[in-house]
């Protein structure tokens, strides 16, 4: 089956630094990838939709300049948390969809970000 | 905006007992409903979707538009069913599969 690789799985950083999270589709091309975040004991919340070769579409309330998304190729999307603060500490998950399966999404294993 | 509600956070059942996870949604149209599962230390994966009308790992879910529900059921729980389950919704013809998730249910199957 299709595999989505997300890296790193766990990162700790100092407040004010930037962190980049990668999401790769390993055996399929993904024109669209999605980024979610999950706070403890809460649901997965869609942050943005990443489209290859174009600007990402952000959900209401998500800061574009804070969470930079780049989808430079059909197999890679990156999420950069800029000038991270402790409130950005969360679990971030990406998902991708093979072009031929309209509904089926494949998820990365997630990244736990802890900002000190 | 569409919303997905999963009322029980933690559900403990004995092995062999039936398990039912409730999911209600609020949307006036005809959404597409899904159940996703996350086993311990594994990634989130699709369990089943209502349009497929299939049974996966013994689980079934029926979309009830009158009650706006999509409850997940399994007649005989197994230990390997212990996991986190998320109900999710997407709007048809949305174009890019934006999903709205419920808060999830932690299922613990007691041997």
């Amino acid at each position: 089956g299709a595999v989505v690789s997300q890296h790193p799985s766990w990162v700790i950083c100092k407040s004010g630094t930037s962190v980049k999270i990668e999401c790769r589709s390993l055996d399929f091309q993904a024109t669209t990838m999605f980024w979610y975040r999950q706070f403890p004991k809460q649901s997965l919340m869609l942050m943005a939709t990443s489209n290859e070769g174009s600007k990402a579409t952000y959900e209401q309330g998500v800061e574009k300049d804070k969470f930079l998304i780049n989808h430079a190729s059909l197999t890679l999307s990156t999420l950069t948390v800029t000038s991270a603060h402790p409130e950005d500490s969360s679990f971030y998950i990406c998902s991708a969809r093979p072009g031929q399966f309209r509904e089926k999404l494949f998820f990365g294993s997630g990244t736990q970000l802890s900002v000190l | 905006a569409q919303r997905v509600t999963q009322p029980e956070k933690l559900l403990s059942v004995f092995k062999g007992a039936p398990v039912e996870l409730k999911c209600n949604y609020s949307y006036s149209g005809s959404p597409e409903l899904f159940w996703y599962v996350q086993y311990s230390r594994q990634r989130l994966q699709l369990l089943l979707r209502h349009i497929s009308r299939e049974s996966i790992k013994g689980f079934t879910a029926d979309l009830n538009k009158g009650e706006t529900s999509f409850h997940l059921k399994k007649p005989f729980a197994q230990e390997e069913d212990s996991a986190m389950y998320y109900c999710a919704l997407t709007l048809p013809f949305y174009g890019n599969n934006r999903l709205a998730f419920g808060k999830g249910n932690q299922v613990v199957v007691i041997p």
Side-chain angles (χ1 to χ4, degrees), chain B residues 7-111:
Chain B
E8 302 104 356
K9 290 185 179 180
L10 175 63
L11 186 67
S12 298
V13 298
F14 285 101
K15 178 182 176 180
V19 59
E20 180 179 22
L21 301 180
K22 296 187 184 300
C23 173
N24 289 89
Y25 63 91
S26 58
Y27 180 68
S28 59
S30 298
E32 296 177 8
L33 275 298
F34 307 82
W35 276 99
Y36 284 84
V37 61
Q38 186 171 25
Y39 300 103
S40 179
R41 300 184 180 182
Q42 295 186 31
R43 63 195 66 208
L44 197 66
Q45 56 185 291
L46 178 66
L47 179 61
L48 53 78
R49 45 186 171 165
H50 90 271
I51 61 171
S52 298
R53 294 183 175 273
E54 56 195 349
S55 174
I56 303 295
K57 300 183 179 182
F59 285 97
T60 59
D62 293 319
L63 179 61
N64 186 321
K65 293 184 178 181
E67 297 182 356
T68 60
S69 68
F70 188 56
H71 304 326
L72 183 68
K73 301 177 183 179
K74 184 170 182 176
F76 308 103
Q78 302 299 314
E79 291 182 61
E80 55 265 29
D81 297 328
S82 295
M84 194 77 182
Y85 293 81
Y86 293 91
C87 183
L89 171 158
T90 189
L91 301 180
F93 310 118
Y94 217 174
N96 55 14
N97 285 120
R98 294 166 64 207
L99 284 171
F101 287 88
K103 290 188 176 183
N105 290 125
Q106 179 71 50
V107 172
V108 176
V109 180
I110 304 167

Side-chain angles (χ1 to χ4, degrees), chain A residues 2 4 25 28-34 51 74 95-106, chain B residues 94-98:
Chain A
V4 174
S25 56
F28 65 95
Q29 293 183 332
T31 55
T32 304
M33 292 185 176
F34 303 89
N51 300 295
L74 287 171
S95 70
R97 183 193 75 200
Q100 67 272 32
F101 295 113
R102 178 175 166 77
E103 300 89 6
K104 197 160 189 176
L105 285 174
F106 297 90
Chain B
Y94 217 174
N96 55 14
N97 285 120
R98 294 166 64 207

Side-chain angles (χ1 to χ4, degrees), chain A residues 22-58:
Chain A
E22 293 187 348
C23 181
R24 294 181 183 273
S25 56
L26 296 186
D27 50 2
F28 65 95
Q29 293 183 332
T31 55
T32 304
M33 292 185 176
F34 303 89
W35 286 96
Y36 307 83
R37 69 184 297 183
Q38 184 179 29
F39 293 103
K41 300 182 180 180
Q42 296 190 27
S43 62
L44 287 162
M45 293 178 56
L46 180 65
M47 298 176 65
T49 302
S50 171
N51 300 295
E52 187 269 336
S54 64
K55 292 182 179 180
T57 303
Y58 290 81

Side-chain angles (χ1 to χ4, degrees), chain A residues 54-105:
Chain A
S54 64
K55 292 182 179 180
T57 303
Y58 290 81
E59 295 300 302
Q60 190 174 11
V62 178
E63 299 177 58
K64 300 178 182 181
D65 296 331
K66 177 72 172 177
F67 300 99
L68 299 178
I69 292 175
N70 186 292
H71 194 156
S73 76
L74 287 171
T75 58
L76 173 65
S77 175
T78 61
L79 168 67
T80 301
V81 183
T82 62
S83 187
H85 291 284
E87 55 266 30
D88 298 325
S89 298
S90 187
F91 192 63
Y92 295 86
I93 303 177
C94 72
S95 70
R97 183 193 75 200
Q100 67 272 32
F101 295 113
R102 178 175 166 77
E103 300 89 6
K104 197 160 189 176
L105 285 174

